[in-house]
Amino acid sequence: MANRINSFIFVLFIFIWLFPYKIYSENTSEADIDIEELSIEELMEVKVTSVSKKIEKLVNSPAAIYVITQDDIKKFGATSLPEILRMAPGMQVSRNDLTDWDVNIRGLNEFFSNKLLVLIDGRSVYTPIFSGVFWDIQDTMLDDIDRIEIIRGPGASLWGSNAVNGVINIITKNPKNTQGVNTSILGGNKEITGNVRYGGKIKDNIYYRFFVKKFDREKLSDSEDKDDNSKNEINAHNYEKKWVSNRGGFQLELNMNDKNSLSIKSEVYENQFKTNYYEVSFMEPYVFEKEGTSDAFGCYVLTDFKRTISETSDFQIKTYFDRAEKEHLPTKASVDTFDVDFQYHISLCDTNDIVWGLGYRYIMDSFRNSNILGLYPDKLNQKIFSGFIQDEIYVCKDIFHVTFGSKFEYNDFTEFEIQPSVKFLWNFKESHSLWGSISRAVRVPSRIERDGLILQWYIVNEDQYPLIVQDEGTDSLNSEVLMAYELGYRVKPYSNIWMDSTIFYNDYRGLVNGELGEIYIRTNPVPHYVQPVYFKNILNGQSYGFELASDWQALNNIRFRAAYSYLKTNVYYENLQEDAFFEITGALPPRNQFILRSAIDLTRTIQADFAVKFVDRLVKKESKKEIESYTDCNFRIAWTPFKTIEFALAGQNLFKNKHLEQSDIQVDRIFYLKMTYEN
């Protein structure tokens, strides 16, 4: 049966790719074409804000930036934020479980992607306890996302610490652009999702929007070939079975006059998933498998005030309060964050464009310790003071400009940090531009690395005492430091083709890893061996690679987009020059990745979208077990019988029933039907 489905999908795939023009020509005329996505020229004119903290054209940004538009999101058919990110060049996204993803850029990240800063409307969702992002609690109504700006490479000179390997900024639409009703219901073999959004206006200058969203997702398949090492590890991977999420929010946009505007946004959510987890004790059989329910709750309020002082100057004040509670059974963590950020922008004499700002962040965390994971102290308050300045100098206006800037930051863990950068952009010929940058960025140690105690039970031999590997935090840790060198080239060789390429070299110093201490026997409460492991800055490393993105408007009704990335990474101990890659990364990342997407208007009301992706092999930590490379496909066909209604049939991972990506959990083939009403 599976082979028949694969054959059907393959034939359908080839048929629609090879014969779309014929189908299209028989049903409509060129005048009826209504391509929603951006043309090549419009793509080059897209405005972005994440590279320089000011509005600028994507094509003039001296950074490896990629923009995922709302149209891309709809046509890719993904139903979660991590899955959407798969379409960007250089992104490494692998699914660990029903609720967990590894989302990385340019390697050398662990499970929590600790060198990647993720923002939603400028609000950081990077957790200081684990250093990284819990992707299961990051969501919003996907139809209300305006764009996702992805910077590959450091963004620390503006965004601060932890923006080491990249920045992801998810930007939602203005309420003025989401007026009326939008409701959708999605049902498939693994998921049921419902959204309702309503937008309106109180006066001509006051717009609002509110929404509710709920989804229910089913478990993924267990591996048929479990890692042998996991059988000896008592703290085995939890297996999540059912995931339910409820979310709602509102946004109010007040345009006071031509110069002043205020936005207030808030969301609240709750997540719940059933899982098995492991409790341990010092008495045989040492481990007890339990079933439980993991809950998460969160909310935030964000305000954003903007004032235009003159044609050449403006300022912005952004504040937010964020609360996030999450159970990671049998532990639980909660983090309250208050953040205020001031930014001033001024242009001087057509030669300098300056942006500077000040920031303050106050973080309060609380942790429920268990006998496998704890923080000491279990509650801590932290303060971060920051400032930045950036000057873009137009050496030859519209042809060559240079940007100098730096972030200055004081935090309670590593104290004073400086993160400078210098960049240039050279439009040496029409439709040809070259850019380069040298940047320094740091990652501040997490609470776990500084104050944590992590215990893992192992049964080495049934006739011997159990062995406990005890990872211990160290309060003398320094920040991990990156020096990054990038060179990029953008070209539009023909009116319907656009290409963007980047090469990079990253040099890391002081990467945090565990250093073994002397093993000893502890007799209380029962005899057992203890292998201490201390977190220390003992590794260095380098990574280098190449990234290419291209866009081809083949015909009026056919568009292709492709992305390829190559990554090579080396990590070694500071003095021994010994290979230590597996000690820090958890897995050898895929060296080659490729994705090809097509968007085809079959008729005026029917669209077919494909995405084929290839991910190179991956080697897991400890066992060094290889996860095979895989090629897979997403497909979506949409029918819009009326202007206000769309039906879409979509499938993901269509080439195989299931495949491994990172853990022992397999990612299944998914189908769903979605109906959207918007008026």
Side-chain angles (χ1 to χ4, degrees), residues 100 120 286 318 379 474 535 556:
D100 296 330
I120 300 179
Y286 306 110
K318 182 173 289 186
K379 295 180 180 177
T474 309
F535 289 117
N556 286 338

Side-chain angles (χ1 to χ4, degrees), residues 522-588:
R522 184 183 289 161
T523 57
N524 187 25
V526 297
H528 59 279
Y529 294 104
V530 176
Q531 171 63 74
V533 179
Y534 305 102
F535 289 117
K536 293 194 175 177
N537 300 93
I538 56 174
L539 297 180
N540 295 333
Q542 291 87 36
S543 68
Y544 57 88
F546 171 76
E547 295 151 353
L548 173 66
S550 63
D551 203 313
W552 176 32
Q553 186 73 55
L555 295 171
N556 286 338
N557 63 322
I558 303 176
R559 180 81 164 263
F560 294 99
R561 289 182 173 178
Y564 168 77
S565 61
Y566 172 85
L567 173 67
K568 181 76 170 65
T569 307
N570 298 307
V571 179
Y572 51 86
Y573 289 101
E574 279 183 336
N575 300 321
L576 302 178
Q577 297 293 311
E578 179 183 345
D579 179 28
F581 194 92
F582 293 100
E583 299 298 331
I584 188 168
T585 63
L588 180 67

Side-chain angles (χ1 to χ4, degrees), residues 169-214:
N169 194 3
I170 300 165
I171 300 167
T172 59
K173 295 178 181 176
N174 189 300
K176 187 177 180 179
N177 298 325
T178 52
Q179 295 290 285
V181 177
N182 178 305
T183 180
S184 65
I185 184 165
L186 179 155
N189 61 333
K190 290 289 182 181
E191 176 177 352
I192 297 174
T193 298
N195 302 286
V196 178
R197 179 252 288 156
Y198 180 76
K201 67 177 183 179
I202 299 173
K203 294 182 178 179
D204 288 341
N205 62 339
I206 304 177
Y207 295 87
Y208 65 88
R209 172 181 74 216
F210 59 84
F211 79 94
V212 293
K213 177 178 182 178
K214 179 182 178 66

Side-chain angles (χ1 to χ4, degrees), residues 617-629:
R617 71 186 181 97
L618 179 147
V619 183
K620 295 174 65 177
K621 181 180 179 180
E622 296 176 346
S623 65
K624 298 190 178 181
K625 176 182 176 183
E626 181 175 313
I627 293 180
E628 295 180 353
S629 61

Side-chain angles (χ1 to χ4, degrees), residues 60-82:
N60 287 334
S61 301
I65 184 170
Y66 188 83
V67 176
I68 297 174
T69 66
Q70 170 57 221
D71 194 62
D72 292 328
I73 294 170
K74 184 171 70 173
K75 292 181 174 178
F76 194 56
T79 60
S80 66
L81 291 175

